[in-house]
Amino acid sequence: MAPIPPGSRQRCTLCQVEIQGMVGGNDLVHFSQGAPGSRAKLWARVCQYLRTPEQCSQCLNQDATRRGEVVASDYYAEAPVIDLSNPLG
């Protein structure tokens, strides 16, 4: 897909996030909840799980050169361990 022009937004038909084009190519992803993030974060949390060629062809975030490097903090954190052996604390 073509780059998103700086200042404009495109909505992904699959996951419904909005990607805002930024000067320099570091696009900003507006999630439905929480703070805006990067294309790498979107890939780590959503796009990597697409299964069919049809889904991938509709995704706005399939170009690895535009999403940048995915780092550990882009993924969801593991849930904390809860000790259920002592319910009163």
Side-chain angles (χ1 to χ4, degrees), residues 12 14-15 43 46-62:
C12 179
L14 291 174
C15 66
W43 174 263
V46 180
C47 307
Q48 69 167 324
Y49 299 107
L50 298 178
R51 296 288 178 230
T52 68
E54 180 184 5
Q55 288 174 327
C56 292
S57 71
Q58 294 176 47
C59 178
L60 294 179
N61 200 30
Q62 290 296 303

Side-chain angles (χ1 to χ4, degrees), residues 2-89:
I4 299 170
S8 64
R9 290 185 181 194
Q10 286 186 3
R11 181 179 297 273
C12 179
T13 58
L14 291 174
C15 66
Q16 299 301 305
V17 300
E18 284 191 344
I19 301 176
Q20 179 179 352
M22 302 296 285
V23 175
N26 292 325
D27 296 344
L28 195 59
V29 177
H30 297 274
F31 297 97
S32 60
Q33 296 289 318
S38 66
R39 282 179 173 264
K41 183 175 280 191
L42 177 61
W43 174 263
R45 296 184 177 192
V46 180
C47 307
Q48 69 167 324
Y49 299 107
L50 298 178
R51 296 288 178 230
T52 68
E54 180 184 5
Q55 288 174 327
C56 292
S57 71
Q58 294 176 47
C59 178
L60 294 179
N61 200 30
Q62 290 296 303
D63 185 347
T65 62
R66 294 209 331 245
R67 71 175 166 257
E69 182 181 350
V70 177
V71 296
S73 62
D74 289 329
Y75 296 93
Y76 285 115
E78 289 291 323
V81 175
I82 300 172
D83 182 5
L84 298 176
S85 63
N86 186 0
L88 297 177

